[in-house]
């Protein structure tokens, strides 16, 4: 984990995720890229009234965002001084996902760390819309940090999977690094429902035995519409500090985290969620 992308919309939640990242990686030499993506709709009519006639709206947006990121970096250096951490400010004027993917490619980003709510503070969905888009459409692993969550030592990680595809070692490299670096235990939750015979599709047991030999395994049969509750209950009962899942189109991520009203659950995702991408 050398190159880390920290998207921010300057909300409290996104700043909290940045703070988590610095604590999470305090012992690792890292290049942190703090990204803000602007769009024309964020520039309201009142703002246009005070723009100098010689200044374009584009430049005004970019300069203001750049100044905000520079202020964040100054604060980080003062409050989290660490001589093995370096910071870079990036402001883009683009589609959010396109911008994130371009930055990941250009700077060889190893991990995206971001908050689960944006400035809109939606209370009826599990994650902010940008975070969901990153999980579903970005090709780089993402770590989503819940609202107001503070860093805790990572002792127990759960990897929930339906085993619908054979895994590749590089797909789970980030999980392996987190487990190794934190000397954490790994519990693999093999989930199956009536429409998805996870145990019969591909046998990943040899893969896990080779690459995660110390992991424990639990096999759970549950209806698709109860997967969220089952995983949530397991997290609470077993003191899990981080949940990991593998995303691929039209499958586990969508079934596990399709939009639900939060009040339907006594549990809300309240630990970091690592989403890896199926190649």
């Amino acid at each position: 984990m050398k190159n880390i992308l920290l998207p921010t919309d300057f909300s409290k939640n996104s700043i909290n995720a940045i703070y988590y990242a610095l604590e999470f990686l305090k012992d690792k030499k890292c290049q942190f890229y703090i990204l803000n993506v602007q769009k024309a709709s964020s520039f309201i009519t009142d703002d246009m009234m005070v723009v100098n006639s010689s200044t374009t709206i584009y430049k005004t947006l970019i300069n203001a965002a750049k100044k905000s990121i520079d202020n964040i970096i100054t604060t980080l250096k003062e409050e989290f001084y660490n001589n093995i951490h370096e910071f870079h400010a990036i402001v883009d004027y683009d589609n959010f996902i396109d911008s994130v993917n371009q930055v990941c490619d250009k700077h060889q980003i190893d991990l995206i760390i971001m908050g689960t709510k944006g400035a809109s503070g939606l209370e009826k969905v599990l994650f902010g819309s940008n975070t969901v888009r990153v999980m579903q459409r970005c090709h780089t692993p993402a770590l989503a940090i819940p609202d107001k969550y503070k860093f805790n030592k990572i002792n127990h990680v759960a990897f929930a999977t339906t085993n619908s595809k054979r895994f590749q070692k590089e797909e789970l490299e980030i999980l392996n690094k987190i487990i190794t670096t934190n000397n954490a235990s790994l519990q693999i939750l093999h989930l199956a429902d009536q429409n998805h015979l996870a145990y019969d599709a591909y046998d990943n047991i040899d893969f896990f035995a080779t690459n995660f030999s110390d992991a424990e395994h639990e096999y759970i049969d549950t209806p698709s519409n109860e997967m969220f509750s089952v995983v949530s209950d397991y997290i609470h009962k077993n003191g899990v500090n981080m949940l990991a899942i593998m995303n691929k189109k039209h499958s586990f991520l969508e079934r596990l985290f399709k939009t639900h009203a939060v009040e339907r659950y006594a549990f809300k995702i309240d630990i970091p969620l690592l989403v890896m991408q199926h190649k």
Side-chain angles (χ1 to χ4, degrees):
M1 292 175 284
K2 297 180 180 178
N3 299 319
I4 309 299
L5 178 60
L6 305 173
T8 181
D9 59 0
F10 308 121
S11 64
K12 290 182 179 179
N13 183 251
S14 69
I15 301 301
N16 181 68
I18 292 174
Y19 289 174
Y20 178 95
L22 268 61
E23 292 283 356
F24 176 52
L25 297 165
K26 65 181 179 181
D27 298 322
K28 296 294 179 183
K29 185 176 181 179
C30 293
Q31 302 286 332
F32 291 103
Y33 296 86
I34 303 178
L35 170 68
N36 175 258
V37 182
Q38 292 289 325
K39 56 183 179 180
S41 60
S42 64
F43 203 84
I44 62 176
T45 304
D46 289 343
D47 295 321
M48 295 181 186
M49 300 297 292
V50 298
V51 174
N52 187 294
S53 59
S54 64
T55 305
T56 66
I57 294 176
Y58 168 81
K59 286 184 178 179
T60 302
L61 278 172
I62 297 300
N63 290 340
K66 178 66 164 55
K67 183 177 180 180
S68 295
I69 295 181
D70 288 342
N71 289 338
I72 291 173
I73 292 175
T74 298
T75 300
L76 296 177
K77 288 181 177 179
E78 291 175 353
E79 296 186 10
F80 298 87
Y81 174 75
N82 192 328
N83 60 8
I84 59 174
H85 287 172
E86 294 186 14
F87 300 93
H88 310 274
I90 303 176
V91 179
D92 201 359
Y93 192 84
D94 198 355
N95 171 276
F96 181 78
I97 295 301
D98 289 343
S99 179
V100 169
N101 278 327
Q102 289 166 11
V103 171
C104 287
D105 289 339
K106 180 178 180 180
H107 298 287
Q108 298 181 314
I109 298 298
D110 299 295
L111 180 65
I112 303 167
I113 301 179
M114 61 189 301
T116 56
K117 286 183 182 178
S120 58
L122 298 177
E123 296 178 354
K124 298 293 185 180
V125 295
L126 293 174
F127 300 112
S129 58
N130 278 339
T131 307
V132 171
R133 292 189 188 103
V134 167
M135 291 175 176
Q136 293 176 330
R137 296 169 54 192
C138 288
H139 44 68
T140 301
L143 183 62
I145 310 302
D147 190 26
K148 300 179 182 178
Y149 186 88
K150 303 303 179 184
F151 177 78
N152 288 309
K153 180 171 171 46
I154 299 172
N155 295 314
H156 305 291
V157 178
F159 175 40
T161 175
T162 56
N163 285 334
S164 60
K165 295 290 183 181
R166 193 183 304 277
F167 295 126
Q168 303 296 322
K169 184 176 181 179
E170 60 271 19
E171 294 174 333
L172 298 177
E173 182 179 1
I174 191 73
L175 176 61
N176 194 24
K177 286 183 178 179
I178 290 174
I179 296 297
T180 303
T181 300
N182 293 277
N183 194 27
S185 65
L186 176 64
Q187 183 79 34
I188 301 173
L189 309 182
H190 301 270
L191 304 177
D193 62 30
Q194 65 274 24
N195 299 314
H196 190 78
L197 301 177
Y199 311 148
D200 299 329
Y202 285 97
D203 185 359
N204 277 310
I205 298 302
D206 289 342
F207 172 86
F208 288 123
T210 300
N211 296 283
F212 299 93
S213 58
D214 294 330
E216 297 181 0
H217 299 260
E218 184 159 339
Y219 296 86
I220 302 173
D221 291 295
T222 179
S224 181
N225 62 356
E226 294 182 9
M227 278 190 180
F228 180 89
S229 297
V230 168
V231 173
S232 299
D233 289 344
Y234 183 90
I235 288 171
H236 268 179
K237 291 177 181 178
N238 293 276
V240 174
N241 306 114
M242 182 179 291
L243 174 65
I245 61 176
M246 179 73 71
N247 178 44
K248 61 185 181 63
K249 290 183 179 179
H250 310 302
S251 65
F252 187 47
L253 183 66
E254 294 179 4
R255 285 185 294 145
L256 184 59
F257 292 107
K258 56 187 176 183
T259 302
H260 292 288
V262 171
E263 60 267 25
R264 286 184 58 186
Y265 298 101
F267 174 89
K268 178 183 176 182
I269 290 294
D270 59 359
I271 61 171
L273 173 67
L274 175 67
V275 178
M276 299 164 288
Q277 301 298 330
H278 182 69
K279 304 297 183 181

